[in-house]
Amino acid sequence: MSSQNPPQERRVVTEIPGPRSRALQERRAAAVAPGVSSVLPVYVTDAGGGVIVDADGNSLIDFGSGIAVTNVGNANPRVAERVKAQVDRFTHTCFMVAPYESYVEVCEALNRLTPGDHEKRSILVNSGAEALENAVKIARYATGRDAVVVFDHGYHGRTLLTMTLTSKNMPYKQGFGPYAPEVYRMPMAYPFRWPGGREDCGPQAAAQAIDQITKQIGAANVAALVIEPIQGEGGFIDPAPGFLPALAAFCRDNGIVFVADEVQTGFARTGDLFACEHEGVVPDIVATAKGIAGGLPLAAVTGRAELMDRIHAGGLGGTYGGNPVACQAALAVLEEIENEKLADRARAIGDIMLPRLRALAERHPAIGDVRGRGAMLAIELVEPGTTVPDAALTAEIARRCHAAGLLVLTCGTYGNVLRFLPPLVIPEHLLKEGLDVLEEAFAAG
Ligand SMILES: *Cc1c(COP(=O)(O)O)cnc(C)c1O
């Protein structure tokens, strides 16, 4: 995409991590709290297109995009240009003190681009967790109700409320309680693990969730239902067809605010601009972050005007929310998605990857499930012929990929999912080479 990108090649010149990265890792151990950990401690010097270059001169193929953030690449020229120009003009005024146009422009774009043609308003914040926090605040205010419904395997962040909304104990919650009140967890339509089988998973899971909400909470007490249209950290669980539309209809009938957490799925990642579009679901509120601004810290809450307009002046905000540099980056990302047709590009990535992952699963019965959409794909590893998770093999395959110069991430409630999130601008030859490396990692076992 650009001459500034590092050479678009896989190059392994030392052990990974190499000596320079290992020395930095030692320094880090004395300075950085160990609670913040890294998937692969190679210290980055350059990145762009489809590669990450480390301090030892290794060039790794990137199948992670910094967790679905750098959809437009790490060194996108449009992002760099707008950011540089903004940094030269001003870096901060605080939108709550003295506003600027780019914040308004980002909100206009989100209102236009998120699902549904109803009137919308947006606010800008700093992180996915902060977006979810605000979505719940708004839903509670607007409905006058307390309860929040979330789902098994869901991930929504690390703040007190969003950690509570999150399903998995280790590492996100262990020791960090007590948790926030009035959060209720329902079963997820997880096709691979649904006791009644894939075919009936969507309607059965929806019926079960609705039955539990009705019996255990009472629909009239529920402020918001918060769900990821494809679950991220929980294992790239693509809910069975019919599940999301049934929940959305239930929310509509009962005055419950349907909040789509599109933090990981948003901005063309799944082949649609937003993953909800796949089944035509129109959320009342959409929370976005990760892919919004090419890695600059920005997040948003976009919702129905009649909900958003309820909140009193000063009830929402934050010092850095909608920072002008981050807003310029977001405007560049949105231009790039449109001009480079990145949603189509995500579909093309899926069209290349899915057949190869399915063929790999044919050869290796440890791959129990292949799933996802667009450039958000995963394989789930189990003991062959069962659904018993194999986290050890998952870690070993990831280790082999890393050693060979392919950065892959794992996820899942059971730690047994390899997930693939290449930048949408990754050159095709690197995408294919990354798949070669993955295949070799399985063959080596
Ligand atoms: C990453 C993530 C969050 C939290 O975002 P942060 O920016 O890390 O606070 C929330 N929801 C989903 C689905 C995510 O993937």
Side-chain angles (χ1 to χ4, degrees), residues 3 61 79 89 106-107 115 117 126 264 306 353 383 407 415:
S3 55
I61 298 174
V79 173
R89 290 202 302 273
V106 172
C107 292
D117 47 18
N126 301 296
Q264 191 156 162
E306 64 264 30
M353 293 189 77
E383 290 175 12
L407 180 47

Side-chain angles (χ1 to χ4, degrees), residues 67 126-130 132 155-158 228 230 232-233 261-265 289-290:
I67 319 186
N126 301 296
S127 69
E130 203 185 347
L132 270 304
Y155 179 87
H156 302 289
R158 294 175 179 273
E228 304 155 82
I230 297 179
E233 304 307 297
D261 178 349
E262 291 255 15
V263 169
Q264 191 156 162
T265 47
K290 292 195 166 87

Side-chain angles (χ1 to χ4, degrees), residues 40 55 64 71 77 85 157 171-172 179 194 196 206 224 228 249 251 260 279 290 316 322 353 372 399 415 417 444:
L40 179 59
N71 294 1
Y172 308 121
Y179 309 113
W194 190 252
E228 304 155 82
C251 287
E279 287 191 277
K290 292 195 166 87
L316 304 172
M353 293 189 77
R399 195 196 59 74
V417 177

